[in-house]
Amino acid sequence: MSEQKLLELRGLCVSYGPVEAVHQVDLEVRCGEIVTVIGPNGAGKTTLLSAAMGLLASRGEIALDGQRIARPSVEAMVAHGVALVPEKRELFGEMSVEDNLLLGGFSLWRKGQRDQGARMEEVFAIFPRLKERRAQLASTLSGGERQMLAIGRALMARPRLLMLDEPSLGLAPLIVKEVLQVVASLRNHGVSVLLVEQNARAALKVADRAYVLEMGAVALTGQARDLLGDQRIIETYLGMG
Ligand code: ATP
């Protein structure tokens, strides 16, 4: 893993009207790292991720490759190689797997990179199940397959940093494991990951480092394996007294 910083958030604050939901968060993702943000319901995980993607206005600094982004916006983040898979997945149910993937590659196509077919084959190599079901309508996929398609669609744009909001939501434990293992393998394809999860145990098992968010602030940060072995974390977040 490289020490080079890909994403840095410094003193990030996000408000909804007069209410501040994220307070002074410092966070970084280095090249090749899988970093997870865990924490209870309403801790501000989705808000933090949305602000980091430029979807919500924030105060503080967002930097990519050591360069401060002056006006964070989705366009700016996408242009720097960042992609977000939102919690709701937002697939086009009446379109095939293949067409959903092609839409994910549209930003590259517009830039004149017309090798969509080759990229799709790379995504199919990561998610062989999607290849088997390439002609199937997205609405008829299983929950796990839909999540794989949402991730695959984001990968079509060849991101360097993939942000995932609760990919385990609504999935059976075995499928969660399968999806998160693929997420962890993305580093072998040159993709770093920022993974927001309420399923702390599953996230800590695949991540390198973790941030624990509580009431909008970072309560704890460290190596994922250390947090997995930490009694306070186990009692508070992993439901094992
Ligand atoms: P969950 O795991 O339940 O999705 P979370 O950690 O992602 O929770 P957020 O959804 O970021 O937490 O919410 C953080 C806080 O901000 C909560 O108190 C929530 O009620 C509030 N909040 C979220 N979205 C809005 C909004 N659009 N307007 C006002 N308040 C909001």
Side-chain angles (χ1 to χ4, degrees):
M1 187 193 314
S2 147
E3 286 302 300
Q4 198 187 326
K5 288 174 188 170
L6 184 50
L7 173 74
E8 275 179 279
L9 309 179
R10 286 188 225 106
L12 207 77
C13 301
V14 190
S15 299
Y16 293 110
V19 181
E20 195 174 87
V22 166
H23 322 293
Q24 295 287 341
V25 167
D26 293 331
L27 176 151
E28 63 184 54
V29 181
R30 295 177 211 132
C31 290
E33 254 192 334
I34 312 290
V35 173
T36 187
V37 176
I38 56 175
N41 250 315
K45 304 181 298 297
T46 297
T47 302
L48 177 66
L49 208 61
S50 304
M53 189 65 203
L55 281 162
L56 283 177
S58 58
R59 282 165 288 125
E61 282 187 20
I62 300 176
L64 284 164
D65 302 309
Q67 300 278 326
R68 183 181 177 184
I69 307 293
R71 284 189 203 82
S73 65
V74 177
E75 291 74 17
M77 300 309 285
V78 169
H80 281 87
V82 184
L84 170 73
V85 180
E87 190 178 303
K88 293 202 176 85
R89 295 163 201 177
E90 290 165 10
L91 297 171
F92 294 95
E94 296 312 308
M95 289 170 68
S96 68
V97 164
E98 204 169 276
D99 286 344
N100 271 278
L101 289 175
L102 285 174
L103 278 175
F106 185 64
S107 61
L108 288 187
W109 187 84
R110 267 201 327 197
K111 281 195 280 181
Q113 294 182 30
R114 303 284 154 97
D115 62 342
Q116 306 285 75
R119 182 57 182 160
M120 195 159 5
E121 287 306 322
E122 287 169 11
V123 170
F124 284 152
I126 298 169
F127 294 109
R129 191 98 60 89
L130 294 183
K131 184 167 188 172
E132 288 165 22
R133 298 176 183 274
R134 61 196 298 167
Q136 197 171 319
L137 293 186
S139 60
T140 64
L141 296 174
S142 72
E145 289 162 356
R146 289 172 66 84
Q147 186 59 66
M148 290 176 196
L149 179 54
I151 297 172
R153 188 176 60 180
L155 290 175
M156 284 294 292
R158 298 185 189 277
R160 292 185 301 138
L161 175 63
L162 187 65
M163 298 188 184
L164 298 166
D165 195 357
E166 302 226 18
S168 79
L169 201 74
L171 303 184
L174 262 182
I175 310 294
V176 169
K177 200 171 162 195
E178 191 183 334
V179 169
L180 291 186
Q181 275 171 355
V182 177
V183 166
S185 77
L186 292 178
R187 65 154 73 83
N188 305 326
H189 301 271
V191 183
S192 309
V193 175
L194 182 57
L195 168 68
V196 156
E197 262 300 338
Q198 232 185 95
N199 190 336
R201 184 192 304 278
L204 288 173
K205 280 187 180 159
V206 298
D208 300 306
R209 284 190 311 112
Y211 293 82
V212 178
L213 210 60
E214 259 177 27
M215 294 182 0
V218 175
L220 200 63
T221 179
Q223 297 294 316
R225 63 172 172 276
D226 295 342
L227 266 58
L228 257 181
D230 182 315
Q231 198 58 32
R232 189 174 91 86
I233 296 290
I234 291 171
E235 283 167 9
T236 314
Y237 301 106
L238 306 186
M240 275 173 42

